Amino acid sequence: MEQATLKAQIMDAAAMERAMTRIAHEIIERNEGAQGVVLVGVLRRGVPIAERLAAKITEIEGVRPPIGKLDISFYRDDYARQIMPVLHATDIMFPIDGADVVLVDDVLYTGRTVRAALDALMDLGRPKTVQLAVMVDRGHRELPIRADYVGKNVPSSHTEDVRVSVTPLDERDAVEIWESKQEGSAQ
Amino acid sequence: MLSVRHLIDTNSLTADDITQILDTAKSFDPIVNRKGIKKVPALRGRTIVNLFLEPSTRTLKSFELAEKRLSADSISMGGATSSVVKGESLADTIQTIDAMQVDMFVVRARLAGTPQKITENTDAIVINGGDGKHQHPTQAMLDLYTIREHFGHLDGLKVAIVGDLAHSRVCGSLAPALKTMGADVTLVAPPTFQVGDPSWYGCEQTNHLDDVIEDMDVVYMLRVQLERMEGAAIPSRREYNRLYGLSLEREARMKPNAIICHPGPMNRGMEIDAEVADCPRSRILNQVNAGVLTRMAEMYLLLGGEE
């Protein structure tokens, strides 16, 4: 991470805004409305994206979908290699039984985060469906997982790092590719 | 990551270690209190042996529950059912269990220093579940968690630890941990129960509970350990209760927001009156819940860093 250099910005704020508008419409289309739809953001950057999607769905449908936060630290398959203190606990204040859950994350890469998120979600209840929305799909899947809603497909190499910035967590909205000296880390 | 590999005593823990344990414990709270499945796969495939060479119910059950909530595989062995009673040395017992690919030992022992000694006979990680009159670090962490939950912080709090300090491993762990976190500790005991060193961990010391009770944010009552008492260290239960017991009258003089803790099991009517144990200030049942959370955090942080 430390010696990474910026290679290209592939989405700016306007592009991200348009992608989120499209995804909001797609979610409504696929679920025939917003009734029964809940958004669950994977901590941390999935959460502000889920909030933005919820605002757009509210604008379009007049129904505000509930938003939850999902922490997957205790469900990771690589905890033995990198252990981090958990400061942002899961916060899902509504029942997910029977709900159409849209899992929201910033980057889809190996699929391991999504695998962990699915396990974490299933321990909370039995959703009717689970759908996946991501801002960027950068390929290189290691598990049979795919996204239902994608902001942008970004072919990338393992040595690159795809970074999504989202307000208000970050200063601005952007998707950038950074070239890192080490092997790209699976976020 | 913690700065220690084993959890033997609280003196070795830095303020950052303690904060990590308490924060991680806090993130387990919504998991163990939720309606869905009250466990996570964090320690799936890890093997933990609870070696309890001294009888214990609440500490052992708290560890067992914490292990189940983390999806670890665990077995519990007691002194009476192990080969130690058949004359096998402790080192041989440990090496035998170790040969079964164990990742962690939780050790409760009558002899101080046993958990430390075990670290020399195994590659596994060791948690001290209470050793003699030495230390009981996991008790101290649950106490700190309980206190921090109430006040939101630990620094600057005035804490009185009252009772049988000389026989108390609870005090031996709690006092240094509180000092590390910036709390002021006052030790209150009859002369026969005092710790030997008057400047011990920079704690204040007094023989008079009535002198300090009105200033305290936390009054921590220790159990009078009748089973550890060699000879008569106190004249009578009644006199101890009169001078050092937490009565309703003393409870009424405490600060409005002050709380009462006790490590359990309680001798109601001796160190704490029955009504006081159940009063709104009492955090005794919160401590039990905190025990599972903090033990989960300790095991997760110690085992999680291992390849």
Side-chain angles (χ1 to χ4, degrees):
Chain A
M1 275 296 239
E2 57 265 18
Q3 285 180 323
T5 49
L6 178 62
K7 210 170 162 187
Q9 173 167 308
I10 49 174
M11 287 177 98
D12 59 11
M16 282 174 70
E17 190 69 23
R18 283 192 288 272
M20 284 188 277
T21 305
R22 173 175 52 79
I23 291 173
H25 280 284
E26 287 174 353
I27 290 171
I28 294 162
E29 186 184 11
R30 160 96 175 254
N31 295 286
E32 294 171 359
Q35 214 68 47
V37 172
V38 304
L39 301 181
V40 173
V42 178
L43 282 160
R44 293 177 68 197
R45 281 186 176 68
V47 175
I49 298 173
E51 280 163 0
R52 300 266 285 274
L53 288 174
K56 289 185 181 298
I57 291 170
T58 313
E59 258 174 55
I60 303 159
E61 283 290 295
V63 179
R64 187 168 174 79
I67 306 167
K69 301 174 186 177
L70 190 65
D71 176 82
I72 57 145
S73 309
F74 302 128
Y75 291 83
R76 298 182 73 100
D77 59 8
D78 60 350
Y79 72 94
R81 268 168 286 150
Q82 48 177 54
I83 180 163
M84 286 166 284
V86 181
L87 299 171
H88 311 276
T90 292
D91 180 16
I92 297 178
M93 301 304 287
F94 44 84
I96 62 161
D97 290 312
D100 292 304
V101 176
V102 180
L103 206 54
V104 183
D105 204 358
D106 55 351
V107 179
L108 177 58
Y109 182 25
T110 61
R112 290 179 190 271
T113 301
V114 176
R115 197 281 308 161
L118 285 171
D119 283 351
L121 210 53
M122 296 307 169
D123 280 358
L124 297 172
R126 188 179 186 284
K128 185 167 153 227
T129 61
V130 182
Q131 302 157 28
L132 177 62
V134 295
M135 183 55 71
V136 172
D137 182 348
R138 60 171 291 192
H140 301 290
R141 215 77 77 238
E142 293 169 4
L143 296 171
I145 281 168
R146 64 162 179 78
D148 300 273
Y149 314 103
V150 179
K152 192 175 178 71
N153 284 293
V154 180
S156 64
S157 85
H158 277 301
T159 58
E160 290 169 340
D161 187 17
V162 177
R163 295 188 195 169
V164 175
S165 308
V166 204
T167 54
L169 197 60
D170 305 297
E171 279 176 10
R172 63 207 173 91
D173 290 341
V175 177
E176 294 164 343
I177 296 186
W178 289 69
E179 184 70 44
S180 58
K181 295 282 177 278
Q182 69 205 57
E183 191 82 340
S185 62
Q187 246 306 347
Chain B
M1 283 286 291
L2 302 179
S3 68
V4 291
R5 183 164 184 265
H6 308 282
L7 181 55
I8 304 297
D9 54 50
T10 58
N11 318 38
S12 315
L13 297 176
T14 63
D16 183 55
D17 289 333
I18 293 173
T19 303
Q20 267 193 67
I21 291 171
L22 302 186
D23 287 347
T24 305
K26 178 90 176 154
S27 64
F28 283 122
D29 183 69
I31 291 162
V32 307
N33 288 304
R34 70 191 179 193
K35 282 210 172 64
I37 294 163
K38 294 178 177 57
K39 63 188 293 179
V40 289
L43 294 187
R44 204 157 56 96
R46 298 308 179 107
T47 308
I48 302 175
V49 172
N50 303 309
L51 186 61
F52 275 56
L53 302 168
E54 180 185 66
S56 155
T57 306
R58 69 175 59 211
T59 304
L60 175 59
K61 295 304 158 194
S62 180
F63 268 110
E64 286 181 342
L65 199 55
E67 288 150 4
K68 289 182 197 302
R69 300 261 193 256
L70 290 169
S71 309
D73 299 314
S74 73
I75 53 170
S76 298
M77 308 174 58
T81 58
S82 74
S83 298
V84 178
V85 291
K86 297 179 190 165
E88 188 181 49
S89 78
L90 182 62
D92 284 339
T93 303
I94 297 303
Q95 279 167 356
T96 304
I97 305 170
D98 203 36
M100 299 181 215
Q101 308 302 320
V102 169
D103 298 301
M104 174 178 273
F105 284 99
V106 177
V107 181
R108 157 68 64 99
R110 201 179 298 277
L111 278 176
T114 305
Q116 177 65 46
K117 189 73 197 162
I118 287 174
T119 63
E120 296 163 16
N121 292 289
T122 176
D123 293 329
I125 293 166
V126 177
I127 290 184
N128 180 1
D131 61 333
K133 299 172 196 171
H134 175 228
Q135 286 243 353
H136 194 355
T138 66
Q139 175 73 42
M141 292 304 110
L142 74 89
D143 294 331
L144 261 53
Y145 182 90
T146 306
I147 296 167
R148 198 182 74 161
E149 277 297 285
H150 181 74
F151 293 99
H153 63 97
L154 293 166
D155 56 293
L157 291 178
K158 291 180 186 300
V159 183
I161 306 177
V162 186
D164 189 356
L165 307 170
H167 295 89
S168 177
R169 60 187 172 213
V170 173
C171 180
S173 282
L174 180 59
L178 281 167
K179 292 301 286 187
T180 299
M181 299 310 287
D184 291 327
V185 182
T186 304
L187 304 176
V188 186
T192 46
F193 281 168
Q194 273 177 328
V195 294
D197 178 359
S199 64
W200 191 71
Y201 292 110
C203 300
E204 302 284 319
Q205 299 205 36
T206 175
N207 299 132
H208 304 289
L209 179 57
D210 285 320
D211 289 355
V212 297
I213 192 151
E214 289 161 17
D215 291 332
M216 293 297 139
D217 298 302
V218 181
V219 177
Y220 195 103
M221 303 305 297
L222 294 172
R223 183 170 69 93
V224 177
Q225 303 184 68
L226 301 164
E227 77 279 15
R228 273 185 223 278
M229 213 87 76
E230 303 103 10
I234 49 170
S236 74
R237 287 177 73 105
R238 190 177 297 174
E239 183 185 299
Y240 185 85
N241 178 255
R242 185 168 56 77
L243 292 172
Y244 295 98
L246 195 53
S247 60
L248 272 177
E249 182 273 322
R250 289 195 172 106
E251 185 270 333
R253 286 161 49 205
M254 289 170 64
K255 281 187 188 173
N257 195 29
I259 58 168
I260 296 165
C261 295
H262 189 297
M266 289 179 278
N267 299 310
R268 285 182 189 248
M270 185 137 179
E271 70 268 4
I272 187 163
D273 286 5
E275 308 80 40
V276 178
D278 304 322
C279 78
R281 288 187 196 280
S282 169
R283 287 294 174 278
I284 297 169
L285 294 177
N286 304 58
Q287 287 173 277
V288 177
N289 181 50
V292 176
L293 301 178
T294 48
R295 288 180 176 116
M296 286 172 79
E298 291 147 10
M299 292 190 280
Y300 175 74
L301 290 170
L302 289 171
L303 274 175
E306 291 283 301
E307 271 292 348

